[in-house]
Amino acid sequence: NAGVTQTPKFQVLKTGQSMTLQCAQDMNHNSMYWYRQDPGMGLRLIYYSASEGTTDKGEVPNGYNVSRLNKREFSLRLESAAPSQTSVYFCASRFPSTDTQYFGPGTRLTVL
Amino acid sequence: DAKTTQPNSMESNEEEPVHLPCNHSTISGTDYIHWYRQLPSQGPEYVIHGLTSNVNNRMASLAIAEDRKSSTLILHRATLRDAAVYYCILIVGAQKLVFGQGTRLTINP
């Protein structure tokens, strides 16, 4: 039981490049989330998916797109990366009966 | 979203109890109080949650004030591995977590 996994662990991009961050969970949870964390700050919600086939914007969605590929996988895409998107990105899934969220190890993204 | 207020930092000694306070004066009757912690270079980790009554688990205890406007996370015997940023969060509506800046806990050996 791996919980929430994220790939890649580290990534360096040049301004304008695109990439997709992958997230998968094996806990059969319906809800999944993408957050970003800037240095010294708390996490901020980018997008979330309450169930397969649905996605909703969070607090900071600009510059990102998401895809809920199936119940297990929720990907985050940067179409044209900007230095302001340099951050650590965390994916999470939610256990419904307690509202507990389980987080992945994060992807550290640097945009030059 | 409902707001919480926590001290920016706290310091304690190894093997001593630690009391981490959180104020949530605008809490509504159905808001659950959740605590998460984030160890260095890791994702947040669930610690404990409660609604009205005090709660205990293997990691910590949660003491909730009678008026629910504040709560305290209690680590009964801190270890060096408890050094982390601790977040107090109210769960509202669509189960979204709204993180503040949390309390950075330092444990001295």
Side-chain angles (χ1 to χ4, degrees), chain A residues 54-88:
Chain A
T54 68
T55 61
D56 285 285
K57 295 178 180 179
E59 182 185 355
V60 288
N62 291 344
Y64 305 96
N65 286 303
V66 290
S67 296
R68 183 72 183 269
L69 304 169
N70 47 54
K71 193 170 187 178
R72 287 188 66 248
E73 298 171 290
F74 188 36
S75 63
L76 179 72
R77 182 159 178 85
L78 287 71
E79 291 291 350
S80 179
S84 60
Q85 294 178 304
T86 294
S87 191
V88 181

Side-chain angles (χ1 to χ4, degrees), chain B residues 74-96:
Chain B
I74 302 165
L75 307 179
H76 294 285
R77 201 160 167 263
T79 70
L80 296 177
R81 292 174 59 183
D82 291 320
V85 178
Y86 286 78
Y87 296 99
C88 168
I89 299 168
L90 301 183
I91 303 296
V92 183
Q95 304 89 34
K96 294 180 284 186

Side-chain angles (χ1 to χ4, degrees), chain B residues 4 8 10 13 20 31 39-40 48 62-63 68 86 94 101-102:
Chain B
T4 62
N8 287 335
M10 291 184 64
N13 297 319
L20 296 163
D31 293 345
L39 302 172
I48 200 167
L62 177 61
R68 300 208 329 123
Y86 286 78
Q101 291 196 301

